[in-house]
Amino acid sequence: MTVEQFDPNKTSPKAQSDIKQTTTLDTPNQVIAEQASQVGHSQTQGSRIGFVSLGCPKNLVDSERILTQLRTEGYDVVPSYDDADLVIVNTCGFIDSAVQESLDTIGEALNENGKVLVTGCLGAKEDEITEIHPNVLGVTGPHAYEEVLTQVHSHVAKPKHNPFTDLIPDHGVKLTPKHFAYLKISEGCNHRCTFCIIPSMRGDLDSRPIGSVLSEAKRLADAGVKELLVISQDTSAYGVDVKHKTDFWDGMPVKTHMKAMCEQLAKLGIWVRLHYVYPYPHVDDIIPLMAEGKILPYLDIPFQHASKRILKLMKRPGSSDRVLERIKKWREICPELVIRSTFIVGFPGETEEEFEELLDFLREAQLDRVGCFKYSPVEGATANDLPDHVPEEIQEQRLQRFMQVQAEISAAKLQARIGQEYLVLIDEVTDIGAVGRSYMDAPEVDGKVHLSDEFDVKPGELVWVQIIHADEHDVWGVKVDDE
């Protein structure tokens, strides 16, 4: 079977940064390759596992847990199909293009290697996978860590392993650079957004014990992580399922609640960035923590739309008027606040007037970072049954118009940063200089800070930078003395 590898986007690299058609991150596979080149293959043939991690940061954390257990048992993780005795593909099933990417990757792995296990969100639809790829060795759903390991054992025997010489770090195997990490605080979601099938794949909200979350965060900080990216399906709902019960960490009681978690994470002395936050009223309590410098003044809130009727069809909370009022209030408390959001254009029934309402909202809200998707009729989503689906060509036109408005907003906001100085976390040093991020930039989804001809820094280092140039996505700067 020959399947061409999925090309997520045909647009320019700059456009891809904001109009990404799948949720897959580039970092995991790069890190696997780098780790393999640094460590080399410790095992002979018969215990080598190839691994492909697709999807969002939540899926990445699942990949890290599987890889940690594999390495604990002595398996060697390799970056190529040729060297692998078996390949695991951790799939995404969020939107149609992500499903296609997953199916194409499974096909490529079968063609190149032949022995493939499938796990992840798309694994919840086993029949869909086996209908197209009947030769896969096994299929499991999301966060099915033990089942994946059981399937690996049945096809690739456990290697001889000395746990005293082949040690795994306390924080486990990470698929991010050493200086930042994703901290997943819960699984599942209690919302039933009509365009989303995540609850059917990952279930209802299941919050991790606060003690477990904080212990993992402490291990990561002790290992040198400089930035924690807090993720879940609904971060602001953390603890709702357990009625915000009190747990214990470091000998003291702590509530299973977003604010209590943020207050404790702030004590680690590293960057803490919040993602996937619903704009519930108690989010207001987090803004003062940002104003006080305890956590980064950055909120990732997926507003999705501005039209009250469309939001109701989506089964999303809130209205644009209330959102604008709250954004204004937040910025009064914390003027440095950066807001990132995502939106859907071309939702079934969306009229031209409602799309213009969305553009007006963008102009009024002046959001800092914005991503956009065209509506995708994912199998199993109830929105598929709504009338008046928007034709593909109109969806594409609206997407381009949306991104043009946001590009103008972004360009103006970044131009205003010229002359200002910011603390920048260095991500990499290339042959043309260093590349990093300020508090305004989450990895892979936001912009970058370029330090041309700057080589006297290293990844994970925090340096002060003065901004000297900007476009609609990124900024350029020069290193300044730390006073």
Side-chain angles (χ1 to χ4, degrees):
M1 182 181 297
T2 301
V3 182
E4 292 185 3
Q5 190 170 8
F6 181 77
D7 181 358
N9 208 304
K10 298 296 186 182
T11 58
S12 68
K14 283 293 185 186
Q16 287 185 26
S17 67
D18 283 311
I19 315 175
K20 196 168 186 178
Q21 298 303 306
T22 77
T23 57
T24 293
L25 304 175
D26 296 328
T27 300
N29 294 329
Q30 293 174 357
V31 173
I32 289 175
E34 289 171 3
Q35 290 176 348
S37 65
Q38 292 169 2
V39 177
H41 301 326
S42 61
Q43 303 291 343
T44 58
Q45 188 171 5
S47 59
R48 296 178 178 178
I49 306 297
F51 202 98
V52 181
S53 183
L54 305 176
C56 65
K58 296 176 283 292
N59 227 36
L60 179 149
V61 174
D62 290 347
S63 295
E64 290 175 337
R65 291 178 179 176
I66 294 169
L67 288 172
T68 295
Q69 189 58 39
L70 286 169
R71 291 287 301 277
T72 299
E73 295 184 0
Y75 290 96
D76 200 11
V77 178
V78 297
S80 68
Y81 294 128
D82 293 339
D83 294 330
D85 301 296
L86 179 146
V87 176
I88 300 173
V89 180
N90 191 8
T91 60
C92 178
F94 181 58
I95 55 176
D96 279 356
S97 54
V99 170
Q100 189 61 50
E101 178 186 30
S102 294
L103 292 172
D104 288 350
T105 302
I106 294 167
E108 180 184 76
L110 283 168
N111 184 57
E112 298 293 331
N113 182 277
K115 298 179 68 176
V116 178
L117 293 176
V118 178
T119 190
C121 287
L122 188 60
K125 299 180 178 181
E126 181 175 356
D127 291 345
E128 183 175 337
I129 294 170
T130 55
E131 180 181 357
I132 297 174
H133 300 302
N135 294 327
V136 296
L137 299 178
V139 179
T140 55
H143 50 86
Y145 318 121
E146 293 182 1
E147 297 169 68
V148 173
L149 268 293
T150 298
Q151 290 186 350
V152 170
H153 298 158
S154 67
H155 297 285
V156 180
K158 284 187 180 182
K160 293 181 180 180
H161 175 55
N162 185 340
F164 296 102
T165 59
D166 299 322
L167 297 178
I168 301 299
D170 287 342
H171 58 272
V173 175
K174 308 304 294 180
L175 292 181
T176 53
K178 293 179 181 179
H179 58 279
F180 72 82
Y182 294 99
L183 180 67
K184 184 157 66 170
I185 63 174
S186 65
E187 293 285 359
C189 183
N190 287 342
H191 292 283
R192 294 296 182 266
C193 301
T194 58
F195 56 82
C196 181
I197 57 174
I198 292 298
S200 67
M201 293 179 172
R202 292 184 173 263
D204 291 336
L205 178 68
D206 182 12
S207 299
R208 288 179 62 191
I210 185 70
S212 173
V213 170
L214 295 176
S215 293
E216 180 180 351
K218 180 66 162 55
R219 290 194 299 271
L220 290 167
D222 289 345
V225 166
K226 302 290 183 63
E227 176 184 17
L228 286 176
L229 299 106
V230 178
I231 58 169
S232 67
Q233 300 298 334
D234 181 0
T235 295
S236 41
Y238 177 61
V240 167
D241 55 316
V242 295
K243 299 181 179 179
H244 301 300
K245 72 176 183 180
T246 298
D247 195 2
F248 286 86
W249 180 70
D250 201 23
M252 61 182 180
V254 185
K255 276 191 174 183
T256 311
H257 190 278
M258 181 172 69
K259 182 181 178 184
M261 176 190 67
C262 290
E263 289 173 334
Q264 296 303 318
L265 291 176
K267 297 178 181 179
L268 297 175
I270 60 179
W271 284 8
V272 176
R273 190 184 300 275
L274 300 180
H275 286 274
Y276 315 117
V277 177
Y278 271 70
Y280 300 139
H282 68 264
V283 174
D284 294 353
D285 299 332
I286 302 298
I287 307 302
L289 300 180
M290 297 178 175
E292 295 164 11
K294 293 182 177 180
I295 63 175
L296 292 184
Y298 178 103
L299 275 178
D300 176 1
I301 303 180
F303 292 123
Q304 304 297 9
H305 213 278
S307 162
K308 186 176 293 187
R309 189 183 77 89
I310 294 297
L311 287 170
K312 185 176 180 180
L313 289 175
M314 291 178 169
K315 291 191 176 179
R316 297 284 294 183
S319 70
S320 60
D321 290 342
R322 288 200 297 270
V323 166
L324 289 171
E325 290 175 4
R326 297 187 71 198
I327 290 175
K328 181 180 178 181
K329 177 183 175 182
W330 291 343
R331 285 173 171 161
E332 288 173 351
I333 297 170
C334 182
E336 298 82 14
L337 177 65
V338 163
I339 300 176
R340 172 178 178 79
S341 190
T342 51
F343 294 86
I344 296 173
V345 296
F347 191 79
E350 181 190 60
T351 64
E352 177 63 23
E353 291 74 19
E354 287 165 333
F355 175 68
E356 287 289 349
E357 184 179 350
L358 175 56
L359 296 184
D360 289 341
F361 172 84
L362 270 188
R363 297 183 182 103
E364 180 72 18
Q366 291 289 300
L367 302 177
D368 301 88
R369 303 295 193 185
V370 170
C372 189
F373 290 90
K374 294 181 291 186
Y375 171 74
S376 177
V378 181
E379 182 181 352
T382 57
N384 298 342
D385 298 327
L386 293 173
D388 303 320
H389 280 236
V390 179
E392 168 66 24
E393 60 270 21
I394 296 179
Q395 285 191 348
E396 181 62 29
Q397 290 172 7
R398 290 179 180 174
L399 174 66
Q400 298 303 327
R401 290 164 59 193
F402 179 101
M403 293 312 302
Q404 180 59 41
V405 169
Q406 182 55 37
E408 294 170 2
I409 294 170
S410 178
K413 293 180 81 72
L414 292 181
Q415 284 291 321
R417 304 284 181 182
I418 294 176
Q420 302 296 313
E421 295 180 4
Y422 298 96
L423 197 58
V424 170
L425 181 61
I426 301 299
D427 281 330
E428 62 178 335
V429 180
T430 71
D431 56 358
I432 60 173
V435 182
R437 294 174 292 107
S438 72
Y439 80 89
M440 297 175 282
D441 314 304
E444 297 211 40
V445 295
D446 292 332
K448 298 178 180 180
V449 180
H450 300 273
L451 285 76
S452 301
D453 298 321
E454 177 59 67
F455 303 100
D456 190 24
V457 292
K458 57 185 178 181
E461 187 176 351
L462 285 162
V463 299
W464 282 97
V465 173
Q466 183 180 54
I467 306 304
I468 60 172
H469 176 71
D471 63 15
E472 67 270 28
H473 297 279
D474 298 342
V475 296
W476 282 255
V478 292
K479 184 181 173 183
V480 296
D481 292 335
D482 183 359
E483 298 178 355

